[in-house]
Amino acid sequence: NAGVTQTPKFRVLKTGQSMTLLCAQDMNHEYMYWYRQDPGMGLRLIHYSVGEGTTAKGEVPDGYNVSRLKKQNFLLGLESAAPSQTSVYFCASRLAGTGGIQYFGAGTRLSVL
Amino acid sequence: QKEVEQDPGPLSVPEGAIVSLNCTYSNSAFQYFMWYRQYSRKGPELLMYTYSSGNKEDGRFTAQVDKSSKYISLFIRDSQPSDSATYLCAPDRGSARQLTFGSGTQLTVLP
């Protein structure tokens, strides 16, 4: 049982390049989340999904897009990367009806030069 | 003002010490109060949680919530070097169960 798997683990981009971060969970969870973590800022919610085919904006959605075509996958896209998007990105999933218990992936470290 | 305020530390204690980690929050709608632990270069993992006001104990860890003062605490007894990590408080904010995270307190337990 792998839990929540994020790929890639590390990436370096140049300003203006695009990329997609993949999150996969094998726990059949309904809810999935994308966060970014910056020093002194804690975890901030970018986008989330409450089910296949549905997405919603979180606290800091600008510059990101998401898709959830399959229940087990949640993709985070950066169309035109900016240095301000340098961060550690975490994906999480949660089973409906379990309060605030989220399961996190190991993170993706992204640097935008 | 942030919805959740947490002293970032860093906090350094000797092995065996009692550790107190604290958060304050402003949203009265929070009902579940989570504590996540994050080791260096890892994802957060749930440590424990409480519902509404009161205490909850799990081994060496005790979580405490005082909704009247909007104050959340985590106590660690007999702290161990393996407890060295960043601790994040995370109140549950609403029907979509979006967590609001504190900025985290970095704890180092010295052997």
Coordinates of all heavy atoms in Angstrom, one line a residue, chain B residues 21-71:
Chain B
L21 N 3.9 23.0 23.1 CA 3.8 23.7 21.8 C 2.4 24.3 21.7 O 1.4 23.6 22.1 CB 4.0 22.7 20.7 CG 5.3 21.9 20.7 CD1 5.3 20.8 19.7 CD2 6.4 22.8 20.5
N22 N 2.3 25.5 21.2 CA 1.0 26.2 21.3 C 0.6 26.9 20.1 O 1.4 27.4 19.3 CB 1.1 27.3 22.5 CG 1.5 26.7 23.8 OD1 0.9 25.8 24.4 ND2 2.7 27.0 24.2
C23 N -0.7 27.1 19.9 CA -1.3 27.9 18.8 C -2.5 28.6 19.3 O -3.1 28.2 20.3 CB -1.8 26.9 17.7 SG -0.5 26.1 16.8
T24 N -2.8 29.8 18.7 CA -4.0 30.5 18.9 C -4.7 30.6 17.5 O -4.1 30.5 16.5 CB -3.8 31.9 19.4 OG1 -2.9 32.6 18.5 CG2 -3.1 31.8 20.8
Y25 N -6.0 30.7 17.6 CA -6.8 30.8 16.3 C -7.9 31.8 16.5 O -8.2 32.2 17.7 CB -7.4 29.5 15.9 CG -8.4 28.9 16.9 CD1 -9.7 29.1 16.7 CD2 -8.0 28.1 18.0 CE1 -10.7 28.5 17.6 CE2 -8.9 27.6 18.9 CZ -10.2 27.8 18.7 OH -11.1 27.3 19.5
S26 N -8.5 32.3 15.4 CA -9.5 33.3 15.5 C -10.9 32.9 15.0 O -11.9 33.6 15.3 CB -9.0 34.5 14.6 OG -8.8 34.2 13.3
N27 N -11.0 31.8 14.3 CA -12.3 31.4 13.7 C -13.0 30.5 14.7 O -12.6 29.4 15.0 CB -12.0 30.6 12.4 CG -13.3 30.4 11.6 OD1 -14.4 30.4 12.2 ND2 -13.1 30.1 10.3
S28 N -14.1 31.0 15.2 CA -14.9 30.2 16.2 C -15.6 29.0 15.6 O -16.1 28.1 16.3 CB -16.0 31.1 16.7 OG -15.5 32.2 17.4
A29 N -15.6 28.9 14.2 CA -16.2 27.7 13.6 C -15.4 26.4 13.6 O -15.9 25.4 13.4 CB -16.6 28.0 12.1
F30 N -14.1 26.6 14.0 CA -13.3 25.4 14.0 C -13.8 24.4 15.1 O -14.1 24.8 16.2 CB -11.8 25.8 14.4 CG -11.1 26.5 13.3 CD1 -10.1 27.5 13.6 CD2 -11.3 26.2 12.0 CE1 -9.5 28.2 12.6 CE2 -10.6 26.9 11.0 CZ -9.7 27.9 11.3
Q31 N -13.8 23.1 14.7 CA -14.3 22.1 15.7 C -13.3 21.0 15.9 O -13.3 20.5 17.0 CB -15.6 21.5 15.1 CG -16.8 22.6 15.2 CD -18.1 21.9 15.0 OE1 -18.2 20.7 14.8 NE2 -19.2 22.6 15.2
Y32 N -12.6 20.6 14.9 CA -11.6 19.6 15.0 C -10.2 20.3 15.0 O -10.0 21.2 14.3 CB -11.6 18.6 13.8 CG -12.8 17.7 13.8 CD1 -14.0 18.1 13.2 CD2 -12.7 16.4 14.4 CE1 -15.0 17.2 13.2 CE2 -13.8 15.6 14.3 CZ -15.0 16.0 13.7 OH -16.0 15.1 13.7
F33 N -9.3 19.8 15.9 CA -8.0 20.4 16.0 C -7.0 19.4 15.9 O -6.8 18.5 16.7 CB -8.0 21.2 17.4 CG -9.0 22.2 17.5 CD1 -10.3 21.9 18.0 CD2 -8.8 23.5 17.1 CE1 -11.3 22.9 18.2 CE2 -9.8 24.5 17.2 CZ -11.0 24.2 17.7
M34 N -6.2 19.5 14.8 CA -5.3 18.5 14.4 C -3.8 18.9 14.8 O -3.5 20.1 14.8 CB -5.3 18.2 12.9 CG -6.7 18.4 12.3 SD -8.0 17.3 12.9 CE -7.5 15.8 12.1
W35 N -3.0 17.9 15.1 CA -1.6 18.2 15.2 C -0.9 17.3 14.2 O -1.1 16.0 14.2 CB -1.0 17.9 16.6 CG -1.3 19.1 17.5 CD1 -2.4 19.2 18.4 CD2 -0.5 20.3 17.7 NE1 -2.3 20.3 19.1 CE2 -1.2 21.0 18.7 CE3 0.6 20.8 17.1 CZ2 -0.7 22.3 19.1 CZ3 1.1 22.0 17.5 CH2 0.5 22.7 18.5
Y36 N -0.1 17.9 13.3 CA 0.7 17.1 12.4 C 2.2 17.2 12.7 O 2.6 18.3 13.2 CB 0.5 17.6 10.9 CG -0.8 17.1 10.3 CD1 -2.0 17.7 10.6 CD2 -0.8 16.1 9.4 CE1 -3.2 17.3 10.1 CE2 -2.0 15.6 8.9 CZ -3.2 16.3 9.2 OH -4.3 15.8 8.6
R37 N 2.9 16.2 12.5 CA 4.4 16.2 12.7 C 5.1 16.1 11.4 O 4.6 15.2 10.5 CB 4.8 15.0 13.6 CG 6.3 14.9 13.9 CD 6.5 13.8 14.9 NE 6.0 12.5 14.5 CZ 5.9 11.5 15.3 NH1 6.2 11.6 16.6 NH2 5.5 10.3 14.8
Q38 N 6.1 16.8 11.1 CA 6.8 16.8 9.9 C 8.3 16.7 10.1 O 8.9 17.6 10.6 CB 6.5 18.1 9.0 CG 7.1 18.1 7.6 CD 6.7 19.3 6.8 OE1 6.3 20.3 7.3 NE2 6.8 19.2 5.5
Y39 N 8.8 15.6 9.7 CA 10.3 15.4 9.8 C 10.9 16.1 8.6 O 10.3 16.4 7.6 CB 10.7 13.9 9.8 CG 10.3 13.2 11.1 CD1 9.3 12.2 11.1 CD2 10.9 13.5 12.3 CE1 9.0 11.6 12.2 CE2 10.6 12.9 13.4 CZ 9.6 11.9 13.4 OH 9.2 11.3 14.6
S40 N 12.2 16.4 8.7 CA 12.9 17.2 7.7 C 12.8 16.5 6.3 O 13.0 15.3 6.2 CB 14.4 17.3 8.1 OG 15.1 18.1 7.1
R41 N 12.4 17.3 5.3 CA 12.3 16.8 4.0 C 11.3 15.7 3.8 O 11.4 14.8 2.9 CB 13.7 16.4 3.4 CG 14.6 17.6 3.3 CD 15.9 17.2 2.7 NE 16.7 18.4 2.4 CZ 16.6 19.1 1.2 NH1 15.9 18.7 0.3 NH2 17.3 20.2 1.1
K42 N 10.3 15.6 4.6 CA 9.2 14.7 4.5 C 7.9 15.4 4.5 O 7.8 16.6 4.8 CB 9.2 13.7 5.7 CG 10.5 12.9 5.9 CD 10.7 11.9 4.8 CE 11.9 11.0 5.0 NZ 12.1 10.0 3.9
G43 N 6.8 14.7 4.2 CA 5.5 15.2 4.2 C 4.9 15.2 5.7 O 5.4 14.3 6.5
P44 N 4.0 16.0 6.0 CA 3.4 16.0 7.3 C 2.6 14.7 7.5 O 2.1 14.1 6.6 CB 2.4 17.2 7.3 CG 2.9 18.1 6.2 CD 3.5 17.1 5.2
E45 N 2.6 14.2 8.8 CA 1.8 13.1 9.1 C 1.0 13.4 10.4 O 1.5 14.1 11.3 CB 2.7 11.9 9.4 CG 3.7 12.1 10.5 CD 4.6 10.8 10.7 OE1 4.3 9.8 10.1 OE2 5.6 11.0 11.5
L46 N -0.2 12.9 10.4 CA -1.1 13.2 11.6 C -0.5 12.6 12.8 O -0.2 11.4 12.9 CB -2.5 12.6 11.3 CG -3.5 12.9 12.4 CD1 -3.8 14.4 12.5 CD2 -4.8 12.1 12.2
L47 N -0.4 13.4 13.9 CA 0.0 12.9 15.2 C -1.2 12.6 16.1 O -1.2 11.5 16.6 CB 0.9 14.0 15.8 CG 1.5 13.7 17.1 CD1 2.5 12.5 17.0 CD2 2.3 14.9 17.7
M48 N -2.1 13.5 16.2 CA -3.3 13.3 17.0 C -4.2 14.4 16.7 O -3.9 15.5 16.2 CB -3.0 13.1 18.4 CG -2.3 14.3 19.1 SD -1.8 13.9 20.8 CE -3.3 13.3 21.6
Y49 N -5.5 14.3 17.2 CA -6.4 15.3 17.0 C -7.5 15.3 18.2 O -7.6 14.3 18.8 CB -7.1 15.3 15.7 CG -8.1 14.2 15.5 CD1 -9.5 14.4 15.7 CD2 -7.7 12.9 15.1 CE1 -10.4 13.3 15.5 CE2 -8.6 11.9 14.9 CZ -9.9 12.1 15.1 OH -10.8 11.1 14.9
T50 N -8.1 16.4 18.4 CA -9.2 16.5 19.4 C -10.4 17.1 18.7 O -10.3 17.8 17.7 CB -8.8 17.3 20.6 OG1 -8.4 18.7 20.1 CG2 -7.6 16.7 21.3
Y51 N -11.5 16.8 19.3 CA -12.8 17.4 18.8 C -13.3 18.3 19.9 O -13.4 17.9 21.1 CB -13.8 16.3 18.5 CG -15.2 16.9 18.2 CD1 -15.4 17.5 16.9 CD2 -16.2 16.8 19.1 CE1 -16.6 18.0 16.6 CE2 -17.5 17.3 18.7 CZ -17.6 17.9 17.5 OH -18.9 18.4 17.2
S52 N -13.6 19.6 19.6 CA -14.1 20.6 20.5 C -13.1 20.8 21.6 O -11.9 20.5 21.5 CB -15.5 20.2 21.0 OG -16.1 21.3 21.6
S53 N -13.6 21.3 22.8 CA -12.7 21.6 23.9 C -12.4 20.3 24.7 O -13.1 19.3 24.6 CB -13.3 22.6 24.9 OG -13.3 23.9 24.3
G54 N -11.2 20.3 25.4 CA -10.9 19.2 26.3 C -9.5 18.7 26.0 O -8.7 19.3 25.2
N55 N -9.2 17.6 26.6 CA -7.8 17.0 26.5 C -8.0 15.6 25.8 O -9.0 14.9 25.9 CB -7.2 16.8 27.9 CG -6.9 18.1 28.6 OD1 -7.1 19.1 28.0 ND2 -6.4 17.9 29.8
K56 N -6.9 15.2 25.2 CA -6.8 13.9 24.6 C -5.3 13.4 24.8 O -4.4 14.2 24.5 CB -7.2 13.8 23.1 CG -7.2 12.4 22.6 CD -7.7 12.5 21.1 CE -7.7 11.1 20.5 NZ -8.3 11.1 19.2
E57 N -5.2 12.2 25.3 CA -3.8 11.7 25.6 C -3.5 10.5 24.7 O -4.4 9.6 24.5 CB -3.7 11.3 27.1 CG -2.3 11.0 27.6 CD -2.3 10.7 29.1 OE1 -2.9 11.5 29.8 OE2 -1.6 9.8 29.5
D58 N -2.3 10.4 24.2 CA -1.9 9.3 23.4 C -0.4 9.0 23.8 O 0.5 9.7 23.2 CB -2.1 9.6 22.0 CG -1.7 8.4 21.1 OD1 -1.4 7.3 21.7 OD2 -1.8 8.5 19.9
G59 N -0.2 8.1 24.7 CA 1.2 7.8 25.1 C 1.8 9.0 25.7 O 1.3 9.6 26.7
R60 N 3.0 9.5 25.2 CA 3.7 10.6 25.7 C 3.1 12.0 25.3 O 3.5 13.0 25.7 CB 5.1 10.6 25.3 CG 5.9 9.4 25.9 CD 7.4 9.4 25.5 NE 7.6 9.3 24.1 CZ 8.0 10.2 23.3 NH1 8.3 11.5 23.8 NH2 8.2 10.0 22.0
F61 N 2.1 11.9 24.4 CA 1.5 13.2 23.8 C 0.1 13.5 24.4 O -0.7 12.6 24.6 CB 1.4 13.0 22.3 CG 2.8 12.8 21.6 CD1 3.3 11.5 21.5 CD2 3.5 13.9 21.2 CE1 4.5 11.3 20.9 CE2 4.7 13.7 20.5 CZ 5.2 12.4 20.4
T62 N -0.1 14.8 24.7 CA -1.4 15.2 25.2 C -1.8 16.4 24.3 O -1.0 17.4 24.3 CB -1.4 15.6 26.6 OG1 -1.0 14.4 27.4 CG2 -2.7 16.1 27.1
A63 N -2.9 16.4 23.7 CA -3.5 17.6 23.0 C -4.5 18.2 23.8 O -5.4 17.5 24.5 CB -4.0 17.2 21.7
Q64 N -4.5 19.5 23.9 CA -5.5 20.3 24.7 C -6.1 21.4 23.9 O -5.3 22.1 23.2 CB -4.7 20.8 25.9 CG -5.6 21.4 27.0 CD -4.7 21.7 28.2 OE1 -4.0 22.8 28.2 NE2 -4.7 20.9 29.2
V65 N -7.4 21.6 24.0 CA -8.1 22.7 23.3 C -8.9 23.5 24.3 O -9.7 22.9 25.1 CB -8.9 22.2 22.2 CG1 -9.7 23.3 21.5 CG2 -8.1 21.4 21.1
D66 N -8.8 24.8 24.3 CA -9.6 25.6 25.1 C -10.3 26.6 24.1 O -9.8 27.6 23.7 CB -8.8 26.4 26.1 CG -9.7 27.3 27.0 OD1 -10.8 27.5 26.7 OD2 -9.1 27.8 28.0
K67 N -11.6 26.2 23.8 CA -12.3 27.0 22.8 C -12.7 28.4 23.3 O -12.8 29.3 22.5 CB -13.5 26.3 22.3 CG -13.2 25.0 21.5 CD -14.5 24.5 20.8 CE -14.9 25.3 19.6 NZ -16.0 24.7 18.9
S68 N -12.8 28.5 24.6 CA -13.2 29.8 25.1 C -12.1 30.9 24.9 O -12.4 32.1 24.7 CB -13.5 29.7 26.6 OG -12.4 29.3 27.4
S69 N -10.8 30.4 25.0 CA -9.7 31.3 24.7 C -9.1 31.2 23.4 O -8.1 31.8 23.0 CB -8.7 31.2 25.8 OG -8.2 29.9 25.8
K70 N -9.6 30.2 22.6 CA -9.1 29.9 21.2 C -7.6 29.6 21.3 O -6.8 30.1 20.6 CB -9.4 31.1 20.3 CG -10.9 31.3 20.1 CD -11.1 32.4 19.0 CE -12.5 32.6 18.7 NZ -13.3 33.2 19.8
Y71 N -7.3 28.6 22.2 CA -5.9 28.2 22.4 C -5.8 26.7 22.3 O -6.6 26.0 22.8 CB -5.6 28.7 23.9 CG -4.1 28.8 24.1 CD1 -3.4 29.9 23.7 CD2 -3.4 27.8 24.8 CE1 -2.1 30.1 24.0 CE2 -2.1 28.0 25.1 CZ -1.4 29.1 24.7 OH -0.1 29.3 25.0

